[in-house]
Amino acid sequence: MADQRADLTWREEGVPVSSRFDDPYFSLQNGLEETGHVFLAGSDLPARFAPGFHIAELGFGTGLNLLAAWAAWEQAGQGGPLRFSSFEAYPMEPADMARALKAFPALGPWAERFLAIWAGTGTCTLDTLQFEMIQGDARETLPDWPGQADAWFLDGFAPAKNPELWAPELMTEVARHTAPGGSAATYTAAGFVRRGLEAAGFSVERIPGYGRKRHMTRARMPQ
């Protein structure tokens, strides 16, 4: 697994598509707006930001969620580093990330700073960011991860294309690695995903989704 990389095709609009899962990496409407709606607003961010806040993510993709969260963190005036951990089986080459992220010029300053030192896997430490990528199958890597996240971004490819990343057993591990009062948010409202989160101990609600997606899922762990 360690040498597996993302296998891409590109749409004319500059949107990368996973050849392995036949699914685009971000919304064809506006990927940044979807990230803001689903993962930031869906996690009550930036309002919940506090020193040491830790976001974890299933599916790093282009790095869009990381950069949007980091930008929101800095714009909220947080002084210390945002902690961000991402689980990714097939990392994208930095050059492909740079190509994809050109679609979001508002994130340009953060993309430039990150990509200047990002090697494509491992860790990245900047004044206001502590990032780690845990490469491999999350079903194998998450159980041994020592962290606990305040917010989870569940952003794997569509459940119909990549059901392994939404399995109930993995949702149980997500819950086990969630801090008391922590959250999980995802663009999908698939019933088996919601049931998996509920069975794992989350309080789950279906709320309006972004764009053409009528619904999304937001979940919280008890304090």
Side-chain angles (χ1 to χ4, degrees):
M1 287 290 293
D3 59 351
Q4 301 249 27
R5 307 297 289 190
D7 186 9
L8 306 178
T9 59
W10 295 85
R11 296 198 175 175
E12 289 183 8
E13 308 93 329
V15 176
V17 178
S18 168
S19 301
R20 186 173 280 107
F21 297 105
D22 188 29
D23 208 25
Y25 274 86
F26 48 74
S27 169
L28 303 181
Q29 293 175 272
N30 188 311
L32 181 54
E33 285 189 4
E34 181 175 46
T35 288
H37 178 88
V38 173
F39 296 113
L40 298 184
S43 306
D44 296 323
L45 301 175
R48 290 173 58 215
F49 280 151
F53 197 86
H54 194 166
I55 296 171
E57 171 183 60
L58 293 183
F60 180 66
T62 64
L64 175 59
N65 296 337
L66 164 67
L67 296 178
W70 183 28
W73 174 266
E74 289 195 341
Q75 291 165 348
Q78 294 292 330
L82 171 67
R83 299 167 64 201
F84 199 109
S85 302
S86 188
F87 294 80
E88 174 60 61
Y90 305 104
M92 190 178 288
E93 295 287 355
D96 289 326
M97 287 178 58
R99 177 178 174 183
L101 292 167
K102 286 180 181 177
F104 311 110
L107 292 178
W110 292 273
E112 184 176 342
R113 288 156 62 197
F114 181 78
L115 289 169
I117 62 171
W118 177 238
T121 190
T123 62
C124 178
T125 301
L126 294 158
D127 288 347
T128 55
L129 177 68
Q130 289 181 355
F131 173 74
E132 63 173 345
M133 176 185 286
I134 299 93
Q135 186 175 347
D137 187 328
R139 295 172 296 177
E140 300 172 0
T141 59
L142 179 53
D144 294 330
W145 184 56
Q148 278 211 321
D150 299 294
W152 275 93
F153 295 174
L154 306 181
D155 198 24
F157 291 110
K161 304 286 183 72
N162 186 200
E164 299 84 1
L165 211 57
W166 306 92
E169 296 81 6
L170 190 54
M171 296 303 99
T172 296
E173 288 299 329
V174 166
R176 196 168 69 85
H177 292 86
T178 302
S183 64
T186 180
Y187 64 86
T188 184
F192 85 93
V193 174
R194 297 201 316 273
R195 290 190 294 272
L197 289 166
E198 287 176 342
F202 285 97
S203 174
V204 179
E205 59 179 331
R206 189 175 69 170
I207 61 175
Y210 173 78
R212 297 174 185 171
K213 296 189 178 86
R214 291 180 59 195
H215 300 109
M216 57 167 279
T217 301
R218 178 168 63 187
R220 289 296 282 265
M221 287 294 283
Q223 290 282 354

